[in-house]
């Protein structure tokens, strides 16, 4: 089943994001290679695909896991969590309808 991992950043998270980004992306690439990643990306802090120094306010990952517990465990092990980027992480079951 798919699970949505919705993360909210701490204030001024951009320097922390930049430091932990390579390890964060590596984990997402692994999910992609396994055919389990539906979508992933950050929420820009302003209405622009490149918010520059305004940074981001959080992230969304939708991926396939065997259970809610496994999705939560994966989310908790994110390098952004360890680096203090995220203030809050919510994991919910997700049902893809379209397209």
């Amino acid at each position: 089943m798919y699970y949505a991992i919705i993360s909210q950043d701490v204030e001024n998270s951009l320097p922390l994001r930049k430091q932990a980004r390579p390890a964060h992306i590596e984990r997402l690439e692994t999910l992609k290679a396994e055919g389990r990643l539906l979508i992933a990306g950050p929420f820009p802090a302003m209405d622009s695909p490149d918010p520059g120094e305004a940074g981001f306010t959080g992230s969304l990952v939708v991926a396939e896991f065997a259970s809610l517990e496994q999705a939560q465990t994966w989310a908790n092990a994110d390098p952004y969590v360890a680096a203090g980027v995220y203030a809050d992480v919510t994991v919910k079951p997700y049902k893809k309808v379209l397209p």
Side-chain angles (χ1 to χ4, degrees), residues 11-86:
E11 291 288 324
N12 303 310
S13 64
L14 191 57
L16 299 171
R17 274 180 168 270
K18 287 179 178 178
Q19 183 179 24
R21 189 171 192 275
H24 172 78
I25 295 296
E26 183 178 329
R27 295 178 81 234
L28 292 170
E29 289 289 349
T30 299
L31 285 178
K32 180 182 170 188
E34 294 170 352
R36 297 171 44 207
L37 182 64
L38 183 63
I39 193 168
F43 300 117
M46 57 189 287
D47 191 10
S48 171
D50 182 7
E53 291 303 310
F56 302 92
T57 62
S59 299
L60 171 66
V61 174
V62 179
E64 188 175 21
F65 293 92
S67 68
L68 178 60
E69 181 180 352
Q70 285 187 9
Q72 186 69 60
T73 298
W74 187 90
N76 290 344
D78 193 304
Y80 280 179
V81 171
V85 172
Y86 295 149

